[in-house]
Amino acid sequence: MATWGMGLRAKSILALVVACLLVLLPAGLLGWQLVEGVRNHFGEAFARNYTQLKREQILGLLNRELALARRLASSQLTRQWLLDEDDPAKKALALREAEAFRLDLRDHAYFIASGLSGHFFFNDESKPFSAEPRYTLDASKEEDSWFYATLRRPEDYNINVNVDVPLQITMVWFNVAIRDRARTLGVAGAALDLRQFLAEFINTDEAGVTPIILSRSGAIQAHRDTRLISTNQAGSTARAEQTLAGQLPEAERAALAAAMDTAVARPGQVSTLWATLDGRRQLLALSYVPELKWHVVTAVDLDAARVIDGDWLNTAAAVAAGTLALLLAVFVLAVNRLVIRPLRRLHRSATAISHGDFAVSVPAEGHDEIADLGRAFAAMAEKLRAHTENLEAEVRQRTQALEAANRDMLAAHQKISDSIDYASLIQRAILPARQLTQQLGEHHFVLWRPRDVVGGDFYVFRSEGPRYLVGVVDCAGHGVPGALMTMLARAALDHAMNQAGIASPAEVLRHTDAAMRAMLQDCPLPRAIATNMDAGLVFVDLENRRMVYAGAKIPLYWSDGETVSSVPGGRRAIGDRRQGEYADEEVPLRAGTTYTLVTDGYLDQAGGELGFGFGNARFAQLLREVAGRPLREQAQALQQALAAYQGAHAQRDDITLLSFRFD
């Protein structure tokens, strides 16, 4: 007994420790998530501030150069000279003014290129001043493509970064169009050596931080790895590997494009997103510089960047872990003394009762909650003994009654199922499937799909030699009520065809309407019960190449694979409370054209992402796409299209579709 008690105590303490750990582990995980959230928050703030700082550095360095280049290009003296390039006086004045601009430029270098002659004038401090062109641009040379692309651009200026990798020289060219009203006379601008700027901007000592400059299109203009920099962007398109999008997985490129568009829409502000760059998850911060048409980007690897002081974080984690361990030990000792020991005694009594020994004595000493629990447990054991004696007899009686009820229910269910299956067999027997196959063969197909085992849709066919009457009917209701309506409707249609013949579908509809009203006029039906039906009938005379259509709320579609047309039916159903008017409509009978009648069960079927109906427009487009195929393939395509659109949605209504064509 002592060994058993010690084992129970050890198990109880172990269970208590496990329970505490189950509580503390989620708390630890939540704490870690909190720390991660703090780190991400400060990381995003760091990336935003760093990007904003670099943006202002770029503006301070380049904005002044761009402003001077634009003033040079807008000079009246420059425009007058390029309009009359052979005038030495105008040339001297323009170049003298350009020399004044050169002295204000940071690297003291400018160029003027004529769009009329192609002459390229360039002066800097490395060569003596020259009033003659350095060379003549040629549109057939790829290295001169930047100039002719600038002439064609609608923008007033563009900035072209040219990297000389062997010399490790990065030059920024400010290309500004010289315009006289709507006419582009040439290009003027300045050059800026970015070696020092790149040393300060790109080659940062911050661990886990990668500054990048992108063009408006996403081409890399400045990067720590010079192999990724796209050069001569004024006249060509950057390769994929020379764009930031090309460095990201394909699934993340759309998010980058959206962030770049957001930055363009809000210049001066910073947009952020998470992306996988160089195989690591990094935070990207973007800010757009509209004056330069550049994106300033900072990629921050939060696992490498020192966003939060790691020593402080480790110390806090160690203190928290020690405190939790101490609290856990105190909690275990207290609970063992106050709870586990009394419960162990109660456990021995409960085990005996669980084996059927209701006479066992349950200890109930003391006045605390556990003693109260022992006394309540003793009273429960007595009641349990009394109830157990009566329970088995009551369970046997109720089980016998339930088994008898289940047998009766199964028998009734089987009778109902057999009756509905027999009704389905009868309903299928009235469908003219064999007559259609004998007369039309492969020139027709039928899609008949009741919502339940039986339904309210059916189709009709009657032939008189080379003349046919074919149609579909949609009776109100589903299941058994709808199936019974089809019997009445079929009888009324047969009577109408016997009385009016088949040459006028409209006359058949009128006789059918009259027959239905005569059948139901003496029936005391509630107003909520609908007895109307939709119908569409087509008369085909192959000898005279003639086709006539009439309908009640069901249209006739036809398509040759290039166009699709339809004739709507009458606005009122047969048997409606207000009597409808039906008229014959001549329809062209063309070889190779597919004609289709369909009930609203196909058109109203719910599906797609929003659960909307299939719809007439989508159905007409589908008919046009499949009309050129053999009818067997058309039937498969129409069924597959409906199944794909329906997806997991339940069938809403009975569906009937009948298509035919003639050679």
Side-chain angles (χ1 to χ4, degrees):
M1 179 62 72
T3 303
W4 179 84
M6 290 298 293
L8 178 60
R9 179 179 181 183
K11 292 180 180 179
S12 301
I13 294 176
L14 179 61
L16 182 60
V17 171
V18 171
C20 292
L21 289 177
L22 291 177
V23 174
L24 294 176
L25 284 176
L29 291 176
L30 289 176
W32 177 253
Q33 292 179 354
L34 178 62
V35 172
E36 283 292 301
V38 171
R39 189 181 70 162
N40 290 341
H41 173 76
F42 282 102
E44 182 173 350
F46 171 80
R48 288 179 178 273
N49 294 335
Y50 191 92
T51 303
Q52 194 69 28
L53 175 62
K54 292 301 181 182
R55 180 181 183 275
E56 295 304 321
Q57 288 179 352
I58 292 173
L59 281 176
L61 181 65
L62 302 181
N63 214 9
R64 178 177 176 276
E65 300 296 304
L66 176 61
L68 290 173
R70 297 182 74 175
R71 287 181 56 192
L72 175 60
S74 63
S75 170
Q76 185 67 26
L77 295 178
T78 304
R79 288 199 297 267
Q80 290 177 357
W81 169 41
L82 293 183
L83 287 171
D84 188 6
E85 195 172 341
D86 295 331
D87 188 331
K90 294 179 179 179
K91 178 179 180 181
L93 287 174
L95 292 179
R96 186 183 307 161
E97 183 183 41
E99 277 294 299
F101 278 106
R102 185 181 69 80
L103 297 176
D104 290 333
L105 294 170
R106 172 171 171 165
D107 288 342
H108 308 302
Y110 75 90
F111 71 88
I112 299 176
S114 172
L116 302 179
S117 65
H119 292 332
F120 184 85
F121 297 85
F122 178 81
N123 283 293
D124 62 359
E125 291 184 338
S126 64
K127 302 179 185 66
F129 170 78
S130 175
E132 298 302 322
R134 301 290 183 177
Y135 57 88
T136 301
L137 299 165
D138 188 348
S140 63
K141 295 181 179 179
E142 184 176 357
E143 60 266 24
D144 296 338
S145 60
W146 65 270
F147 172 70
Y148 296 98
T150 303
L151 292 179
R152 293 189 298 270
R153 286 175 179 267
E155 297 89 350
D156 290 338
Y157 69 92
N158 64 78
I159 298 175
N160 179 29
V161 178
N162 182 40
V163 178
D164 190 328
V165 177
L167 297 180
Q168 291 294 303
I169 296 176
T170 301
M171 297 295 294
V172 177
W173 292 88
F174 299 88
N175 304 320
V176 184
I178 304 173
R179 290 197 172 99
D180 182 33
R181 298 180 182 176
R183 182 181 179 187
T184 303
L185 303 179
V187 178
L192 182 63
D193 187 347
L194 284 186
R195 282 177 293 183
Q196 181 180 357
F197 167 72
L198 291 178
E200 298 175 357
F201 178 79
I202 298 298
N203 300 325
T204 177
D205 294 332
E206 293 284 349
V209 178
T210 304
I212 306 171
I213 294 178
L214 305 179
S215 69
R216 176 65 179 88
S217 61
I220 297 176
Q221 302 288 276
H223 195 280
R224 186 175 299 161
D225 186 353
T226 57
R227 296 172 300 176
L228 302 180
I229 297 176
S230 175
T231 62
N232 196 18
Q233 276 299 293
S236 61
T237 302
R239 300 192 303 271
E241 63 270 17
Q242 292 180 331
T243 65
L244 182 56
Q247 306 299 314
L248 303 184
E250 187 173 356
E252 298 177 357
R253 295 174 185 174
L256 174 62
M260 292 176 66
D261 291 339
T262 301
V264 171
R266 299 184 299 178
Q269 299 187 30
V270 179
S271 300
T272 60
L273 75 153
W274 287 98
T276 304
L277 186 63
D278 297 331
R280 302 186 302 275
R281 184 172 182 265
Q282 300 193 43
L283 178 64
L284 301 185
L286 303 89
S287 182
Y288 184 64
V289 184
E291 296 86 352
L292 307 178
K293 298 182 175 62
W294 277 1
H295 285 278
V296 178
V297 183
T298 304
V300 181
D301 183 357
L302 294 184
D303 292 332
R306 293 182 59 85
V307 178
I308 302 178
D309 188 353
D311 295 337
W312 171 86
L313 187 62
N314 294 334
T315 302
V319 171
T323 302
L324 289 176
L326 179 60
L327 290 176
L328 178 62
V330 173
F331 181 73
V332 168
L333 293 175
V335 171
N336 178 62
R337 179 180 179 85
L338 299 176
V339 177
I340 293 180
R341 289 180 183 177
L343 286 180
R344 188 167 62 248
R345 296 194 298 271
L346 184 61
H347 174 267
R348 289 195 293 268
S349 300
T351 302
I353 293 175
S354 68
H355 290 112
D357 185 5
F358 295 100
V360 68
S361 175
V362 179
E365 301 88 357
H367 301 283
D368 56 6
E369 289 80 359
I370 295 181
D372 293 339
L373 176 63
R375 287 186 287 271
F377 194 85
M380 181 192 68
E382 177 61 25
K383 290 183 179 180
L384 182 62
R385 182 190 60 78
H387 287 306
T388 302
E389 295 175 353
N390 300 324
L391 183 60
E392 291 184 359
E394 186 176 350
V395 168
R396 283 195 298 270
Q397 293 177 357
R398 294 189 178 184
T399 301
Q400 293 173 357
L402 182 60
E403 290 176 350
N406 285 338
R407 287 193 298 270
D408 295 341
M409 183 178 66
L410 289 174
H413 183 270
Q414 186 62 43
K415 290 181 180 179
I416 294 173
S417 298
D418 293 343
S419 298
I420 294 177
D421 290 340
Y422 186 57
S424 175
L425 180 64
I426 295 174
Q427 187 174 38
R428 289 178 181 274
I430 72 171
L431 299 176
R434 186 173 62 181
Q435 296 92 319
L436 274 168
T437 302
Q438 291 175 348
Q439 295 293 332
L440 300 183
E442 295 184 354
H443 290 81
H444 89 289
F445 71 83
V446 177
L447 172 61
W448 184 70
R449 187 190 299 170
R451 190 192 71 174
D452 306 310
V453 180
V454 293
D457 281 11
F458 69 98
Y459 54 94
V460 296
F461 177 77
R462 178 172 290 193
S463 65
E464 295 179 357
R467 305 192 314 161
Y468 311 115
L469 183 69
V470 61
V472 297
V473 179
D474 179 5
C475 297
H478 313 290
V480 174
L484 294 176
M485 283 298 301
T486 63
M487 300 300 175
L488 291 177
R490 177 58 189 267
L493 270 171
D494 288 342
H495 176 76
M497 288 186 287
N498 292 335
Q499 293 291 321
I502 65 174
S504 174
E507 194 64 28
V508 173
L509 292 177
R510 283 191 286 271
H511 277 75
T512 302
D513 183 69
M516 289 292 292
R517 294 178 187 277
M519 292 178 186
L520 299 173
Q521 66 180 355
D522 295 331
C523 297
L525 297 174
R527 293 181 61 85
I529 296 180
T531 58
N532 57 296
M533 65 181 185
D534 303 338
L537 302 177
V538 180
F539 169 70
V540 181
D541 186 352
L542 294 180
E543 287 185 343
N544 298 313
R545 306 300 294 177
R546 181 170 174 265
M547 180 181 294
V548 180
Y549 167 76
K553 299 184 70 176
I554 290 183
L556 170 66
Y557 295 87
W558 70 88
S559 176
D560 57 2
E562 296 182 358
T563 61
V564 61
S565 302
S566 64
V567 178
R571 297 178 61 185
R572 295 195 177 277
I574 294 174
D576 200 351
R577 298 189 183 278
R578 295 180 60 184
Q579 190 167 359
E581 297 180 359
Y582 313 107
D584 290 329
E585 181 85 20
E586 290 282 345
V587 178
L589 179 58
R590 300 189 181 98
T593 297
T594 302
Y595 301 88
T596 302
L597 293 166
V598 63
T599 62
D600 57 6
Y602 193 111
L603 303 176
D604 295 342
Q605 176 58 50
E609 295 182 358
L610 302 177
F612 294 154
F614 193 87
N616 299 73
R618 184 181 285 106
F619 181 71
Q621 176 66 18
L622 178 61
L623 290 180
R624 186 187 66 78
E625 293 175 356
V626 305
R629 306 180 190 176
L631 286 177
R632 183 185 302 273
E633 295 182 11
Q634 290 190 39
Q636 294 176 352
L638 289 170
Q639 293 187 69
Q640 291 172 357
L642 180 62
Y645 183 79
Q646 180 178 349
H649 293 271
Q651 183 172 335
R652 177 180 290 179
D653 197 358
D654 303 319
I655 295 173
T656 301
L657 185 147
L658 189 152
S659 293
F660 57 91
R661 69 181 178 195
F662 303 99
D663 296 333

